Amino acid sequence: MISPLLANVYLHWFDKVFHFASGPATWAKARLIRYADDFVVMARYIGKEMESYIETKLEGWMGLKLNRNKTRTVDLREEGASLDFLGYTFRYECDLRGQPWKYLNISPSKKAQKREREALRKMTGKEMCYRPLPVLIAELNRNLIGWSNYFSYGYPRKAFRAMNWYVQKRMQKHLNRRSQRAYRPPEGVSLYSHLRKQGLVYL
């Protein structure tokens, strides 16, 4: 698509003026985090002045149109507040050891996990029964390693465990389809260990 490309060219100049001496990076100590045509502005306080600056530069000066459905102000200090950006969810949560402070939890977003499960579902669907098990596992491994490499930042352990469980269930269903009977791993060996021995990568 050409629209994100053109928006990226325009936003390069928004990035420039944002960091001018007269821009929010100076008078509000704000930070602009941008990827292609998507961006987040971070500051201790975002009020009418900041919102007006962004709207004026993008819509007035550059002639772009903000997506009002995706544009919002989030105060992560508020209870239950969260921000999704580039597949990650950012939110403050209570310390896991009961200490009287919160930590910034950075983890794969629900939407990113749903997309990955959908990709894995297609890879292990009934139309893939003909694929040799080593070939299928190799394809799954490439997908899982790439996904986990991207989401290795922050605290992805919970999401990784959920994805491992999902893959194992999908593989169990896949193996059952390949046989007239319910598939059983060798006696005394769990499905988890059997699939690992076959080469499946667990996150």
Side-chain angles (χ1 to χ4, degrees):
M1 294 177 66
I2 189 122
S3 294
L5 176 61
L6 292 176
N8 188 31
V9 173
Y10 273 77
L11 288 176
H12 168 76
W13 294 105
F14 174 67
D15 205 332
K16 290 285 188 182
V17 298
F18 189 94
H19 291 93
F20 280 172
S22 58
T26 300
W27 50 260
K29 299 295 187 287
R31 297 180 62 186
L32 173 65
I33 311 300
R34 186 171 67 83
Y35 181 80
D37 61 337
D38 205 0
F39 69 87
V40 168
V41 174
M42 298 190 302
R44 287 187 178 276
Y45 174 74
I46 296 182
K48 295 297 182 183
E49 185 179 6
M50 177 76 75
E51 293 174 358
S52 177
Y53 178 91
I54 294 172
E55 291 179 5
T56 299
K57 290 299 181 186
L58 291 177
E59 297 190 333
W61 181 50
M62 293 184 166
L64 300 176
K65 185 174 179 60
L66 280 170
N67 186 333
R68 303 292 174 181
N69 294 327
K70 294 179 64 177
T71 302
R72 62 193 181 105
T73 300
V74 178
D75 187 347
L76 290 180
R77 294 168 295 187
E78 294 179 353
E79 190 68 28
S82 65
L83 170 69
D84 286 1
F85 185 56
L86 300 182
Y88 279 93
T89 292
F90 301 82
R91 63 180 176 272
Y92 278 103
E93 293 191 349
C94 294
D95 184 79
L96 297 177
R97 298 180 180 178
Q99 298 298 322
W101 54 68
K102 294 185 176 183
Y103 73 100
L104 182 61
N105 188 343
I106 305 171
S107 58
S109 69
K110 290 181 179 180
K111 190 174 180 180
Q113 293 182 60
K114 183 179 179 180
R115 282 198 301 263
E116 176 63 5
R117 287 194 298 270
E118 179 61 21
L120 294 169
R121 188 191 67 78
K122 290 181 179 179
M123 295 175 70
T124 54
K126 59 183 179 181
E127 64 276 6
M128 296 298 176
C129 286
Y130 72 94
R131 299 188 75 74
L133 190 59
V135 174
L136 177 60
I137 287 178
E139 292 175 350
L140 287 170
N141 286 346
R142 282 194 295 271
N143 178 279
L144 290 167
I145 291 171
W147 193 80
S148 65
N149 283 344
Y150 180 82
F151 288 108
S152 61
Y153 184 75
Y155 303 92
R157 185 178 300 177
K158 184 177 179 180
F160 284 4
R161 284 200 301 264
M163 208 59 66
N164 288 339
W165 179 87
Y166 183 78
V167 171
Q168 184 170 308
K169 289 298 181 182
R170 290 299 304 177
M171 286 300 295
Q172 184 177 38
K173 192 170 185 178
H174 174 79
L175 291 169
N176 284 340
R177 287 198 203 99
R178 292 164 61 96
S179 174
Q180 295 180 352
R181 305 179 179 182
Y183 180 84
R184 295 182 182 276
E187 186 176 353
V189 179
S190 67
L191 180 62
Y192 175 94
S193 299
H194 179 61
L195 291 174
R196 180 183 285 278
K197 189 173 181 181
Q198 296 297 316
L200 181 65
V201 169
Y202 285 94
L203 307 182

